[in-house]
Amino acid sequence: MDERLIKALEFSNYQKTLQLKLQSLRLTRDHDLTLSYNNHIFKNNQELIALVSAFTKDKTLIVYDVNDNPVRIDDVKDFLKILKANYKKANEKYYDEFVNLKKARNIKKLAGVS
Amino acid sequence: MSKVKRGFMMYAYSNEQLDYAKLACMCAASIKYNLKENNITLVTDTSTLGWMKNIIDESTVDKLFDNMIISDQKHPKNTRTFNDSPYTQFEANFNNHGREQAYDLSLYDETILIDVDYFVMSNKLDLLWNNSKNILINKKSTDLRCEPLKSDERLNVAGIPMYWATVVYFRKCEESKIFFNLVKYIKENYDYFGNLYGIKGSLYRNDFVFSIAKHIINGFVETNDSLGIDTLVSMMPEDEVVEIRNNEILFLSNERKTTPWVNRLLTIKNVDVHMMNKRAIIRHFEDVMDIYGGEG
C-alpha cells in the first residue's frame, strides 16, 4: 500500500478514537451536571444559571425539572449557590481532562493503555 | 430494629450459560462502593445462592447483600439468544420472571429495582431518593458512543415507547401498587398484550411488560417522563471489556452498524453502564471485586 495512504489511515484511526474519547468526556460532564433539589432532578446548564441569577432579588422562582415539570424554588439564592458550585466542579474536571487529551498523540495514550 | 426506608432490589437466577451470582455480586459491590443509600435486597434461588457462597466467602456475601429473599420459582421456557462479541452467539433460558412481585416483596418505603447487569460507576442514583414522582423508569438509551438505540425506542415501528426496566424507582403507595398489579395482569395475559402491542417474537421481557403498563397507567398517551438521571448508557452485546479501573472501564466498542470487524478503544468514566454483554463483565469478576472490594 502507498505510504501516504497508510499514514492517512493511521491518522484517521487516531482521529476516530479521539472523537470517541471526547464524546465520553462530554457524557461524564453531562452526568456531573445532573443534580437534585427540592426532590426534583435538574440538568444544570448556562441557561439555568443565567435565569436563576436574574431573579436573586425575588424570594421564589418557578423553574422546570428534567421532565418539564414546574418546580417552585423557595430560596433562589441557595439554589443559585448550588448550581454554581456544581457547574464549576463539573466543568473544571471536564476542562482538565480535555487539556490532558490534547497531549495524547497516539491511540494507546488516548485510551490510557500502558 | 428500625426499618430501612430506602434500598435496592435485584433479582439473580443463573442459567446454564450465564453466572448471575457473579453479576449480582459485581452490581452490589459497585453500589456499595459508590452510593450513600446502599441497602440491598437480593431475590434469588437456592442453587444460585449456593454457588455464590462457593465463589466468594460468606462474610462478603453478607456485606454485599443486607437482605436475602429465596424464591425457588420454576422458570418457564423463555429461550433467548445472547451475544458475546460479534463472533459468539449462544442460547440460554432467560430466567427473568419475578419482577412483578417487587412491590409486594420490597422491604423499603422507596425502592430502586435494578438489573444485576447494571454497573454503577457514579453517585447519580442517590439523586432519585425522595423524588416527587412515585414511579420513575428510563425511556432513553444510548450505546457507549452516545448514539440512541433507534431500534429499541419503540416496541415496534409504529408502537408505544419502550421503557427500560433496567432501573426502576418506586415508592410504596397506591399508584405503585396499581402499577405492579397491572404488570402482574399483563404478564398473566402476555400473549394477548404482546399481540395487541405488536411485540415480535415470543420472548418475555420485563422491558415490554413495564412499557405496556406505563402506557396504560399514563392514560394510553405518550409522556415525556423518564428516570431523570440522564439516558441509560448501554454496552452492546457486540462490545468487549478490556480493562476494569476505578469507576472507569476500557471497552472495545464494535462498529456493528457499518464495519463489524472493527473495534475501537473507548473509556467510560464516572457514568453507570448497562452491561448487555454479560459474559464480558463476568470475565473480569476478580478485577471488579478487587477494586470495589465488597466494602460499603
Side-chain angles (χ1 to χ4, degrees):
Chain A
M1 201 188 281
D2 190 311
E3 186 66 28
R4 292 168 297 180
L5 183 59
I6 293 171
K7 289 260 181 222
L9 289 173
E10 272 173 14
F11 186 74
S12 166
N13 258 337
Y14 165 79
Q15 279 291 94
K16 186 79 197 233
T17 307
L18 177 63
Q19 289 309 317
L20 288 178
K21 183 74 186 181
L22 277 169
Q23 206 139 283
S24 172
L25 287 189
R26 286 176 197 131
L27 178 68
T28 305
R29 177 207 58 195
D30 289 346
H31 272 241
D32 288 343
L33 287 172
T34 306
L35 55 94
S36 175
Y37 190 86
N38 259 15
N39 309 331
H40 288 263
I41 296 171
F42 294 93
K43 192 42 139 269
N44 194 2
N45 53 36
Q46 293 160 351
E47 187 190 328
L48 181 63
I49 292 174
L51 171 75
V52 176
S53 298
F55 285 91
T56 48
K57 288 186 182 164
D58 291 42
K59 278 187 188 162
T60 63
L61 175 65
I62 306 294
V63 292
Y64 307 122
D65 71 7
V66 286
N67 287 319
D68 211 22
N69 298 311
V71 181
R72 184 186 203 88
I73 304 295
D74 289 319
D75 188 338
V76 178
K77 283 185 181 165
D78 181 60
F79 186 48
L80 180 62
K81 189 174 147 194
I82 287 167
L83 286 176
K84 281 164 74 172
N86 169 266
Y87 182 86
K88 197 171 175 204
K89 188 176 174 188
N91 281 289
E92 276 177 2
K93 182 178 152 195
Y94 175 51
Y95 180 79
D96 288 343
E97 300 215 2
F98 183 84
V99 164
N100 279 336
L101 206 58
K102 287 190 163 190
K103 297 177 192 164
R105 295 289 176 205
N106 57 50
I107 288 173
K108 272 191 178 175
K109 284 197 176 146
L110 275 178
V113 177
S114 51
Chain B
M1 192 168 84
S2 62
K3 185 182 171 191
V4 173
K5 289 188 174 172
R6 296 167 178 169
F8 289 81
M9 261 188 94
M10 52 179 78
Y11 284 71
Y13 298 109
S14 286
N15 59 36
E16 61 275 21
Q17 295 279 0
L18 289 168
D19 191 339
Y20 277 80
K22 283 186 176 173
L23 283 171
C25 290
M26 290 189 283
C27 178
S30 69
I31 289 172
K32 291 286 188 193
Y33 188 80
N34 282 297
L35 300 173
K36 279 187 197 158
E37 300 277 7
N38 56 23
N39 199 286
I40 300 173
T41 298
L42 176 68
V43 183
T44 187
D45 55 21
T46 309
S47 63
T48 306
L49 180 61
W51 171 243
M52 192 186 286
K53 289 180 178 173
N54 255 326
I55 56 171
I56 55 172
D57 56 76
E58 204 155 331
S59 61
T60 307
V61 174
D62 291 339
K63 273 187 204 164
L64 290 175
F65 304 105
D66 302 275
N67 307 290
M68 208 66 90
I69 297 175
I70 306 299
S71 171
D72 285 322
Q73 59 172 308
K74 198 173 153 105
H75 295 278
K77 187 170 185 299
N78 192 32
T79 309
R80 184 177 190 174
T81 303
F82 294 88
N83 269 74
D84 175 11
S85 81
Y87 319 112
T88 305
Q89 248 184 18
F90 57 95
E91 282 190 351
N93 205 53
F94 193 23
N95 297 335
N96 61 346
H97 289 252
R99 300 271 192 306
E100 69 281 359
Q101 304 290 344
Y103 182 90
D104 301 321
L105 293 177
S106 175
L107 305 168
Y108 313 113
D109 294 334
E110 292 178 76
T111 308
I112 295 178
L113 178 60
I114 194 167
D115 278 1
V116 292
D117 57 358
Y118 190 79
F119 197 69
V120 176
M121 292 196 285
S122 76
N123 60 2
K124 289 297 162 219
L125 289 175
D126 271 331
L127 299 181
L128 291 179
W129 305 114
N130 207 23
N131 204 283
S132 59
K133 291 266 188 182
N134 292 321
I135 304 167
L136 294 170
I137 313 177
N138 211 319
K139 200 163 105 172
K140 304 167 202 169
S141 182
T142 67
D143 62 16
L144 295 176
R145 300 173 182 217
C146 303
E147 286 166 24
L149 301 185
K150 289 268 178 209
S151 59
D152 292 319
E153 276 182 358
R154 294 183 175 271
L155 259 56
N156 64 60
V157 169
I160 61 169
M162 171 130 130
Y163 282 84
W164 290 84
T166 312
V167 179
V168 178
Y169 164 89
F170 66 90
R171 175 182 282 111
K172 282 241 173 167
C173 63
E174 194 59 27
E175 183 186 344
S176 299
K177 193 171 180 183
I178 290 170
F179 178 82
F180 276 91
N181 281 341
L182 178 58
V183 167
K184 284 178 200 165
Y185 179 73
I186 294 167
K187 184 190 167 185
E188 284 162 19
N189 300 281
Y190 189 66
D191 286 343
Y192 168 75
F193 281 98
N195 249 319
L196 185 66
Y197 280 85
I199 294 170
K200 286 181 199 164
S202 58
L203 180 70
Y204 177 87
R205 276 178 67 177
N206 288 299
D207 302 319
F208 297 158
V209 174
F210 278 61
S211 301
I212 294 168
K214 198 81 173 72
H215 185 244
I216 295 171
I217 281 281
N218 283 349
F220 298 93
V221 294
E222 285 188 35
T223 61
N224 284 330
D225 60 312
S226 186
L227 191 68
I229 50 163
D230 291 307
T231 57
L232 183 68
V233 176
S234 297
M235 171 201 188
M236 303 313 291
E238 297 85 3
D239 297 333
E240 175 62 275
V241 170
V242 177
E243 198 177 309
I244 303 287
R245 301 163 180 171
N246 191 342
N247 280 344
E248 184 179 355
I249 300 179
L250 178 62
F251 289 99
L252 271 173
S253 168
N254 182 255
E255 296 214 328
R256 58 200 173 93
K257 286 178 190 169
T258 50
T259 45
W261 55 89
V262 175
N263 299 288
R264 299 216 179 260
L265 283 170
L266 182 157
T267 51
I268 299 288
K269 189 174 175 181
N270 295 128
V271 170
D272 305 341
V273 179
H274 179 207
M275 312 288 280
M276 286 164 80
N277 184 347
K278 296 167 191 13
R279 273 191 181 168
I281 184 76
I282 289 171
R283 280 191 279 273
H284 292 268
F285 176 72
E286 301 294 339
D287 296 330
V288 169
M289 297 312 285
D290 280 343
I291 292 169
Y292 294 86
E295 297 280 338

